[in-house]
Amino acid sequence: MKNIIDQIKVVEGSLNSAVPEGPIQDIWDNHRFNMKLVNPANKRKFNVIMVGSGLAGGAAAATMGELGYNVQCFFYQDSARRAHSVAAQGGINAAKNYQNDGDSIFRLFYDTVKGGDYRSREANVYRLAQVSNNIIDQCAAQGVPFAREYGGALDNRSFGGAQVSRTFYARGQTGQQLLLGAYQALSRQAAAGTVKLFPRTEILDIIVIDEQARGVVTRNMVTGEIKSYLADAVVLATGGYGNLYYLSTNAMGCNVTASWRAYKRGAFFANPCYVQIHPTCIPPAGEHQSKLTLMSESLRNDGRIWVPRNAGDNRKANDIPESDRYYYLEEKYPSFGNLVPRDVASRNAKTVVDEGHGVGELKNGVYLDFSESIGRLGAHIIKERYGNLFDMYTSITGEDPYKVPMRIYPAIHYSMGGTWVDYNLQSTIPGLFSIGEANFSDHGANRLGASALMQGLADGYFVIPYTMGNYLAQASLKKVDTNHPAVKEAEAAVNEKTKKLMSINGKRSVSSFHRELGRVIWDNVGMARTDAGLRKALKRIPEIRAEFWENVRVPGSAADLNQSLEMAGRVADFLEFGEVMALDALYRAESCGGHFREESQTEEGEALRDDENFAYVSAWEYAGEGKTPILNKEPLTFEYVKLTQRSYK
Amino acid sequence: MKLTLRVWRQKNSNTQGKLEDHQLDDVSPDSSFLEMIDDLNEKLTNEGNEPIAFDHDCREGICGMCSLVVNGVAHGQDRELIKAVTICQLHMRNFKGGETIVLEPWRAEGFPLLKDLIVDRGAFDRIIQAGGFISVGTGSAPDANALPIPKKNADISMDAAACIGCGACVAACPNASAMLFTSAKMGSLNHLPQGQTERYQRVVNMVTQMDNEGFGACTNMAECEAACPKEISLDFIAQMNRDLITATLKGIGPTV
Ligand SMILES: Cc1cc2nc3c(=O)[nH]c(=O)nc-3n(C[C@H](O)[C@H](O)[C@H](O)COP(=O)(O)OP(=O)(O)OC[C@H]3O[C@@H](n4cnc5c(N)ncnc54)[C@H](O)[C@@H]3O)c2cc1C
Ligand code: SF4
Ligand code: FES
């Protein structure tokens, strides 16, 4: 255990990011010209499998269908409109500069690289900023009801501490509205017959033939039927893995299964330890808690965050006099105050709660107090701004934030890590692409607010349709059918695993294992990580996994709608994935973005990057069952955005 | 608190279903309704029984997946205390200890039952496929601000677009009509200038598909509006009916 780091085989120079040469402003344009095109008449001869129907997968499937490809789109919900993108509230960024406040493509690019704490690939981020403007045009044309000003122009707001107003939004449901735009485009293609939809269908393995991704093994979640589908290329648009933590703002079904299966078939997994923790969620209310609800970040614009100055102060919030209140963010960060970035706000909340200042019955939150702004602006203004959120808070907690301060605490929200992809969004398996939250590409070690929706749609509408065409135009693809030994082998593996899960018949439910794993990950690979804690997790996870495979109970039948079985498969994969995540966090002995290693901090307790030793992407390669995975490093260079330490003092 | 749950159990659409009673002894008032069902399922699993199948995903009132009729009311809203929530957002403090709670699936011809409390809402997808979109290909859009839209229209469009496609309107309607959903979905597009070109064909096609799916007629009972977690207004049904008349006068027939 002690020398676990020494056991990791490190490979340099193995990864080709495929970023074309040239000035960053021209790379994408030149690349689009240089890429090969598929003859329009030939497009319908190509089959593409899209796993996922969220912003990334929905946009990509619709667009590729429009182009004439034959697309099969799989997702686990009953309708494509329910992918978890639907839950995004805040908004979507674009470099339109409609507010004339000095925004530009370069500024959005710059902010994203800096916000990502210099752990992303410059060329990818630049492209993201470039196509951001097309996204807004596209969505407006589809009928997305963005908020507007009285003159009829689109409204913008500043979000997550950005100094320009570049965020477009649709009431508190930007995610749902953008997703409906993509879903409607997808529905049009479904009606036209270019896209076939497979609801309630889960991907359980990826089929690789002659080193190319050629299909997927699926389980029909209604009948239990295991069936393979073959194609010329496969795209993973399966979202994030935050559900590993059990308690997160992700939907109950979010999973890492498809990406994890791809990893085991040879697709490297990048930066698994980078996750984002959102500072303003409602704290858990007890053991029964199944997920956490996000309260929009915008609340920090008018709410003041505090805890009792004396640890263990049991008085009610309104009984604590001003002199006994500790406004820790305002005191520590006088210039940014309550608006410090997400990771800083989250870590500070953890510190005060760990030191015994936590509030609420379980002492697991901090106050977000609106009394001052209600006094200054009037309750009606606060209601106008946040009425919906206050109602939601009341319905969940039974408390009235107009009268008593809200209680908030950080929760897992987003995963920056994901399948490693090159500039073309292709993984290390030719023909296997990954888009949206499922890949690692654009946010480095920390994502800026309102940039995930942007990335999902950028990848789906404006990147993958081109780069996939380039692949299909050049790949030599043999004819394959479902009798191919690789297909049989993958199906057999899925059947075997299902049979095993059904036959253990132990004493513990799937969710009890998920909870236990989540707790270990949250405690040791959460907001603050230490060498000792990570080693503890690396010891504990295999133990839980071993018990799972001996003692889990999956009731019912595999040939039926069986939600316990669905969860069992996902938790089994989390139990493997969590270990690689902890390993990644252990190896990266620096702090950066969402990854905070207590050993690496400044005197003031801020995250301290170590660019000399860690300015690279960690791409983990599967080395076989029970073997330590291999670490492939993709070095990162910064030509356009100078490396500096972030400071919010 | 202690509760009795009377739950609809049905293996699949080919078998008969029945109500089954279960006791829970220690339900936290702070838990959500679905967490209470999780508890019951944990108990059933530990006792060696099959847990209850029910649809859910986001658990924050936006994905539209959850779909339970609680004590005869879609999404179980107690209309005096709490307005406009999905069942995943309803918390147990709204119930009293000792109560018997009856749990049933959405019941409608257009929503065939799959198992226990899960139904197939594919009909909604097919209604959208019939015309619930604006035909604009990726890449062909003009600058977003080239077409100013009065704030009022954008707001009405947003009111309609807030529909989460849950199907509570259908479940609540004595005729199992899907008018509120269908009218909201076309309403969001028909109130925008971008949606005008296809407006009347859209109305005709979506209504035709809705009828083909076996949903009932609207007899102005307004139960749908009362059950809707997103407070979609009946006005959209009225607008849809007016547009349908205009379309008929224009001689537009269905193309689906
Ligand atoms: C509460 C919340 C609020 C947010 N707010 C914002 C915001 O304001 N702005 C912003 O920019 N970002 C926000 N984000 C982040 C953003 O919403 C997501 O990162 C983004 O929408 C992910 O899109 P996606 O298409 O990659 O994945 P998803 O939308 O998660 O879609 C995943 C798809 O993959 C399918 N799938 C997954 N696994 C399988 C499998 N094994 N088999 C078959 N299908 C599978 C699912 O069915 C689904 O269709 C928020 C996130 C959350 C959770
Ligand atoms: S109209 Fe209301 S009740 Fe009907 S599907 Fe939409 S949100 Fe649900
Ligand atoms: S579970 Fe998503 S709306 Fe209820």
Side-chain angles (χ1 to χ4, degrees), chain A residues 52-53 55-56 76-77 84-85 90-91 203 255 413-414 437 450-453:
Chain A
S53 66
L55 289 187
Y76 74 75
Q77 291 92 349
H84 197 50
S85 293
I203 300 313
N255 66 88
H413 178 58
Y414 182 84
E437 192 173 338
S451 284
L453 301 179

Side-chain angles (χ1 to χ4, degrees), chain A residues 133-426:
Chain A
N133 291 339
N134 306 69
I135 295 172
I136 302 304
D137 298 342
Q138 187 62 32
C139 295
Q142 289 170 343
V144 169
F146 284 121
R148 296 199 174 247
E149 293 164 359
Y150 283 97
L154 291 163
D155 191 20
N156 290 113
R157 60 184 173 203
S158 144
F159 197 73
Q163 284 164 312
V164 290
S165 290
R166 61 159 75 103
T167 304
F168 295 77
Y169 63 102
R171 231 165 260 175
Q173 18 174 288
T174 316
Q176 172 170 235
Q177 296 314 319
L178 296 173
L179 182 60
L180 288 175
Y183 161 75
Q184 286 163 192
L186 187 64
S187 298
R188 183 164 78 104
Q189 293 311 307
T194 60
V195 179
K196 191 161 177 347
L197 301 172
F198 294 83
R200 297 198 198 265
T201 309
E202 197 165 23
I203 300 313
L204 295 180
D205 209 348
I206 311 293
I207 296 168
V208 180
I209 298 176
D210 298 336
E211 295 179 359
Q212 292 166 321
R214 294 304 301 270
V216 291
V217 183
T218 67
R219 179 173 182 273
N220 179 319
M221 293 158 73
V222 178
T223 64
E225 186 194 14
I226 304 287
K227 189 170 172 190
S228 299
Y229 293 84
L230 295 177
D232 299 300
V234 177
V235 185
L236 301 182
T238 46
Y241 51 78
N243 210 5
L244 163 67
Y245 288 76
Y246 187 71
L247 289 182
S248 78
T249 64
N250 282 9
M252 301 302 284
C254 292
N255 66 88
V256 77
T257 290
S259 307
W260 191 246
R261 300 281 116 202
Y263 163 80
K264 292 184 113 178
R265 296 271 172 206
F268 296 3
F269 203 105
N271 300 334
C273 81
Y274 293 162
V275 292
Q276 184 166 73
I277 294 170
H278 198 289
T280 52
C281 303
I282 303 179
E287 278 305 306
H288 52 77
Q289 193 82 30
S290 61
K291 77 150 292 179
L292 298 170
T293 300
L294 182 91
M295 292 272 106
S296 167
E297 188 149 35
S298 57
L299 291 169
R300 286 201 278 147
N301 291 336
D302 286 304
R304 296 180 70 195
I305 295 176
W306 64 275
V307 289
R309 196 169 284 281
N310 305 313
D313 187 335
N314 283 328
R315 286 175 290 180
K316 292 208 170 94
N318 293 339
D319 296 341
I320 300 180
E322 202 61 25
S323 57
D324 287 348
R325 297 179 176 195
Y326 179 24
Y327 295 92
Y328 55 93
L329 290 179
E330 297 175 16
E331 284 183 28
K332 279 172 82 173
Y333 309 93
S335 58
F336 278 77
N338 295 301
L339 292 174
V340 292
R342 291 177 176 178
D343 52 336
V344 180
S346 297
R347 262 197 315 276
N348 278 282
K350 174 175 162 50
T351 307
V352 292
V353 168
D354 286 352
E355 286 168 356
H357 300 267
V359 302
E361 210 162 300
L362 302 175
K363 303 267 174 233
N364 61 353
V366 300
Y367 287 128
L368 178 61
D369 192 341
F370 293 86
S371 54
E372 196 247 9
S373 48
I374 289 174
R376 182 163 40 90
L377 304 163
H380 64 288
I381 298 277
I382 295 300
K383 190 177 166 103
E384 205 177 285
R385 288 189 187 160
Y386 312 111
N388 282 350
L389 292 168
F390 278 35
D391 289 350
M392 181 153 100
Y393 182 85
T394 303
S395 107
I396 292 174
T397 62
E399 294 168 5
D400 178 0
Y402 293 100
K403 301 206 176 95
V404 293
M406 272 185 187
R407 291 173 296 109
I408 54 163
Y409 199 64
I412 290 291
H413 178 58
Y414 182 84
S415 42
M416 280 78 70
T419 301
W420 184 90
V421 289
D422 64 10
Y423 187 69
N424 295 313
L425 306 182
Q426 183 167 232

Side-chain angles (χ1 to χ4, degrees), chain A residues 63 66 76 79 81-82 96 98 137 140 154 171 183 200 252-253 290-291 396 509 553 560-561 563, chain B residues 11 35 42 45-46 54-55 57-60 63 93 115 125 138-139 143-145 159 164-165 194:
Chain A
T63 304
E66 283 165 16
Y76 74 75
S79 166
R81 70 173 317 289
R82 305 199 204 284
K96 281 285 196 187
Y98 281 160
D137 298 342
L154 291 163
R171 231 165 260 175
Y183 161 75
R200 297 198 198 265
M252 301 302 284
S290 61
K291 77 150 292 179
I396 292 174
S509 70
R553 169 182 278 166
D560 191 5
L561 196 161
Q563 294 175 312
Chain B
K11 196 162 165 44
E35 286 165 353
E42 181 79 13
T45 305
N46 291 337
F54 67 105
D55 262 335
D57 202 27
C58 75
R59 296 201 174 189
E60 44 184 280
C63 75
R93 73 181 68 88
K115 182 171 182 176
D125 285 327
T138 304
D143 184 86
N145 260 350
D159 289 344
I164 57 173
Q194 302 92 308

